[in-house]
Amino acid sequence: MEEYLAWLNSDRRIRELHFKLNIFLAKVRSKTLSVRSQGLTELINFVKSLKDEELRFFVKLQDVQDDNICFVVFKTIIVPQLQTVSGNAQAKQEVYLGLELMQGLCLMHHASKRVVANLKGVHILLELLDSDITQIQIASIECLLAVLVDSDEIQKDFRE
């Protein structure tokens, strides 16, 4: 942890990136649905805007559980909304955005796949396939594929 803190404090760009990430994650952790949705949208745009060195720094930040977007999205959005996803339109959109974000991060950051798998995410993604919302079903399949690709251990768990 000390090594991580030293790295984080070593460069102003890393601190700024970490600060922005924390602002977006705070919104995603909010109790208010509209703030969470806004945070997800901002986070997606933020990740899409990252280039070269910023992207490398960002991926390194994802190694820390508190900064790992998949962990935060899964715990604060996917799991809590699992039962209510078919009701509220804004909740549907929130789950969809969360799944899309997780899919991209699992493709960019191999350790995020393990985070999702450790949270029993594969089983929850399979549960979401029972949703009556086609958009959520498709996003669940895409996220599931992103978790499974290039991960023999998770594929083995999936088969069992």
Side-chain angles (χ1 to χ4, degrees), residues 90-102:
Q90 197 171 5
K92 292 175 196 175
Q93 182 65 15
E94 184 181 61
V95 170
Y96 172 75
L97 289 173
L99 290 170
E100 289 290 306
L101 186 57
M102 285 174 45

Side-chain angles (χ1 to χ4, degrees), residues 93-151:
Q93 182 65 15
E94 184 181 61
V95 170
Y96 172 75
L97 289 173
L99 290 170
E100 289 290 306
L101 186 57
M102 285 174 45
Q103 173 200 359
L105 289 167
C106 285
L107 291 172
M108 284 177 19
H109 182 246
H110 191 76
S112 288
K113 295 176 186 194
R114 177 58 31 214
V115 167
V116 173
N118 288 344
L119 294 169
K120 304 293 183 209
V122 172
H123 299 291
I124 291 173
L125 290 171
L126 289 172
E127 281 183 46
L128 285 170
L129 292 176
D130 291 335
S131 169
D132 58 344
I133 303 142
T134 307
Q135 185 181 31
I136 301 268
Q137 292 171 334
I138 292 169
S140 297
I141 290 170
E142 291 172 343
C143 190
L144 185 60
L145 290 173
V147 170
L148 294 174
V149 73
D150 293 334
S151 184

Side-chain angles (χ1 to χ4, degrees), residues 69-104:
I69 293 170
C70 286
F71 180 80
V72 173
V73 167
F74 204 80
K75 287 292 221 180
T76 60
I77 293 171
I78 304 299
V79 173
Q81 297 288 0
L82 196 57
Q83 303 305 321
T84 62
V85 75
S86 58
N88 185 331
Q90 197 171 5
K92 292 175 196 175
Q93 182 65 15
E94 184 181 61
V95 170
Y96 172 75
L97 289 173
L99 290 170
E100 289 290 306
L101 186 57
M102 285 174 45
Q103 173 200 359

Side-chain angles (χ1 to χ4, degrees), residues 32-53:
T32 308
L33 188 61
S34 61
V35 174
R36 283 194 311 263
S37 293
Q38 177 189 13
L40 281 171
T41 302
E42 290 173 354
L43 199 47
I44 289 169
N45 292 333
F46 172 69
V47 172
K48 284 181 180 179
S49 73
L50 295 174
K51 304 281 187 250
D52 302 326
E53 193 171 357

Side-chain angles (χ1 to χ4, degrees), residues 3-63:
E3 182 180 311
Y4 168 73
L5 291 173
W7 170 77
L8 188 61
N9 290 321
S10 69
D11 192 325
R12 182 182 59 82
R13 292 172 301 169
I14 298 170
R15 286 191 308 272
E16 288 173 0
L17 188 71
H18 190 245
F19 181 72
K20 286 179 187 177
L21 179 61
N22 280 329
I23 289 171
F24 299 133
L25 289 176
K27 288 182 179 181
V28 170
R29 289 181 179 113
S30 171
K31 301 253 185 255
T32 308
L33 188 61
S34 61
V35 174
R36 283 194 311 263
S37 293
Q38 177 189 13
L40 281 171
T41 302
E42 290 173 354
L43 199 47
I44 289 169
N45 292 333
F46 172 69
V47 172
K48 284 181 180 179
S49 73
L50 295 174
K51 304 281 187 250
D52 302 326
E53 193 171 357
E54 282 182 332
L55 185 59
R56 283 193 300 278
F57 292 150
F58 172 78
V59 168
K60 193 164 185 173
L61 286 173
Q62 292 305 290
D63 289 334

